[in-house]
Amino acid sequence: MFKKVMSLALASTLVLSAGAFAASAAEAEDAVAANDESAVAADDSSAVAAGDESQVGAGTKIYFDVKSAGWKNFSKIYCHVWRADGTGKWPSWQTKKEVCKKESDDLYSYDITKTGNAEEIQNAGSKNLYCVIFSADTQVQIYNTIMNGNCIGDTVYVTGNKIENPKDSNKTDTEAAWKNHPECGPQKVITSTSKVVGTALADGTTDVTLMADYLLDYVSDEGVADTSKTDKSQDLINQLKISPLAVMSNVNFKLEGFVKEETMTQDVANKKKATIEGILGNCTDPTKGGEKVNKDEIKNAEAKNDAADTSGSSNGGSSNGGSSSNGSSSNGSSNGSSSGSNSVQSGQETTIFFVFAGVMVAAAGVFFLVRRREN
């Protein structure tokens, strides 16, 4: 009789222990679910909040205020993004990968993941490495607008100003800017009609490098200058407020690079160099009160890069990207969810251990009593 009673007691203990085990596991699962729901809720509320503030820092989208442009009768809005230095692989103009999404009658969005370079852009942080153009299928577009990684979530709007198209002087483009990033505006360049337009310099460029590129573009491989362009060198130097000697140093730096990369022969580099020395040697220096430059200094100018190394800027952007608002938010959410889940799992494992230990102790006690009774 006693054996039956003890057997029933043992069975009951095991059942109760199993129930406790199941309840403990259920509690752990509920905790995980609650943690996940909390994370989702946090992400949703963050996205909503960002949307209420021009979407700054949210997701992988940039936005365009089409109402500010006043465009009518269009059926599609496109977004063209590329690296300002012309490197990398990017979607072609107004292809399927550049189609924007209509958020409202006044607002369109573009997901930068479509470029295939979203991570690179995000990691750029405050480095002004990119350009963006919003356009419509009615052949209207905004002017080149500088973009950095921190612009993700921000909105481009039209200022109302008109800018001469840098390549085609017969066209004018609509100036645009970012609502929350004034450092990223219309790209500063020298146009084909020798005018300085725009305000924002891409990383890797300065006023000096703009002038150096201008001269290199309008002096042929035979060393022949397009005087309709090069005769305006002094006006441009005055407008940019730069030193002719600094320009020559940058020209020499660029020529050395072309020869080293084998994109230009040394003979061509020498011809271009000699012609540009002559042009700059006849200029005055606005940084020295309009003083006439020393021709010997121009001729012996040291090769020097006036701008930061673009590839270095990109690498620097990668490290800075982690500390940017976007990077911190993204990484924080991911890591936070992961560590929260791990802590719950750890608690679950601890509970299971104690429940199992209790079952073993109870079973051992019952077994001891049964053997003692038999004896």
Side-chain angles (χ1 to χ4, degrees):
M1 181 67 180
F2 181 75
K3 287 182 180 181
K4 291 182 178 180
V5 171
M6 294 312 293
S7 296
L8 288 172
L10 178 58
S12 298
T13 301
L14 292 171
V15 169
L16 290 172
S17 297
F21 177 87
S24 175
E27 282 182 6
E29 289 178 2
D30 288 344
V32 172
N35 185 69
D36 290 344
E37 288 175 4
S38 175
V40 171
D43 286 345
D44 288 345
S45 61
S46 174
V48 171
D52 291 341
E53 298 176 4
S54 298
Q55 298 83 29
V56 175
T60 54
K61 292 182 178 181
I62 55 176
Y63 298 80
F64 178 57
D65 181 356
V66 71
K67 183 180 180 180
S68 67
W71 296 346
K72 304 291 184 182
N73 304 318
F74 59 85
S75 58
K76 288 183 180 179
I77 296 293
Y78 298 89
C79 180
H80 186 60
V81 179
W82 73 99
R83 215 171 192 271
D85 63 5
T87 60
K89 186 177 181 180
W90 303 84
S92 299
W93 178 260
Q94 289 195 348
T95 51
K96 185 177 181 180
K97 287 186 177 181
E98 294 197 339
V99 175
C100 296
K101 178 183 177 183
K102 182 177 181 179
E103 300 287 344
S104 69
D105 288 341
D106 301 334
L107 192 69
Y108 279 74
S109 67
Y110 180 70
D111 193 331
I112 62 169
T113 58
K114 290 182 177 182
T115 67
N117 299 288
E119 185 176 357
E120 176 191 323
I121 298 172
Q122 290 170 319
N123 289 339
S126 62
K127 301 295 182 180
N128 293 349
L129 297 175
Y130 309 95
C131 290
V132 59
I133 292 177
F134 284 95
S135 64
D137 54 2
T138 53
Q139 297 186 349
V140 290
Q141 67 178 67
I142 64 170
Y143 175 71
N144 302 4
T145 306
I146 293 293
M147 181 179 77
N148 61 36
N150 294 336
C151 291
I152 297 172
D154 202 356
T155 302
V156 172
Y157 70 97
V158 169
T159 65
N161 298 326
K162 295 291 183 180
I163 290 182
E164 178 184 313
N165 186 292
K167 301 298 182 183
D168 187 349
S169 61
N170 293 318
K171 296 180 180 178
T172 57
D173 296 330
T174 304
E175 182 186 77
W178 297 89
K179 287 188 176 181
N180 298 284
H181 291 86
E183 77 280 10
C184 297
Q187 184 182 19
K188 191 173 186 178
V189 298
I190 301 175
T191 70
S192 59
T193 58
S194 308
K195 295 177 183 176
V196 178
V197 298
T199 57
L201 287 163
D203 270 40
T205 63
T206 66
D207 290 339
V208 168
T209 67
L210 292 182
M211 189 65 207
D213 287 336
Y214 177 83
L215 290 171
L216 288 166
D217 285 344
Y218 292 114
V219 173
S220 74
D221 289 353
E222 296 302 318
V224 179
D226 180 349
T227 55
S228 68
K229 310 294 184 183
T230 59
D231 284 353
K232 297 177 182 177
S233 294
Q234 183 68 68
D235 290 339
L236 288 169
I237 286 171
N238 290 341
Q239 189 174 344
L240 293 169
K241 297 181 176 62
I242 53 177
S243 161
L245 181 60
V247 174
M248 193 66 231
S249 291
N250 194 245
V251 166
N252 289 338
F253 175 82
K254 289 176 180 291
L255 288 173
E256 284 187 1
F258 296 149
V259 172
K260 185 177 181 180
E261 295 164 4
E262 298 184 348
T263 56
M264 182 182 292
T265 65
Q266 187 64 60
D267 181 57
V268 169
N270 291 341
K271 290 177 180 178
K272 280 181 173 281
K273 174 182 166 69
T275 301
I276 294 173
E277 282 176 357
I279 295 168
L280 293 173
N282 290 316
C283 290
T284 58
D285 190 343
T287 68
K288 295 182 177 180
E291 178 183 308
K292 187 78 174 175
V293 301
N294 186 315
K295 291 186 178 182
D296 287 335
E297 287 184 350
I298 292 292
K299 187 174 182 179
N300 298 309
E302 178 186 0
K304 184 179 178 181
N305 185 13
D306 190 72
D309 180 19
T310 306
S311 61
S313 298
S314 178
N315 293 335
S318 296
S319 62
N320 293 337
S323 62
S324 71
S325 60
N326 295 330
S328 298
S329 176
S330 174
N331 294 337
S333 298
S334 174
N335 295 337
S337 299
S338 175
S339 61
S341 175
N342 289 339
S343 65
V344 172
Q345 290 174 357
S346 177
Q348 177 182 349
E349 289 165 1
T350 301
T351 304
I352 291 170
F353 172 79
F354 282 115
V355 170
F356 181 73
V359 171
M360 294 301 294
V361 170
V366 172
F367 179 75
F368 175 76
L369 289 173
V370 170
R371 292 297 301 271
R372 185 175 181 182
R373 177 67 176 174
E374 288 176 348
N375 294 334

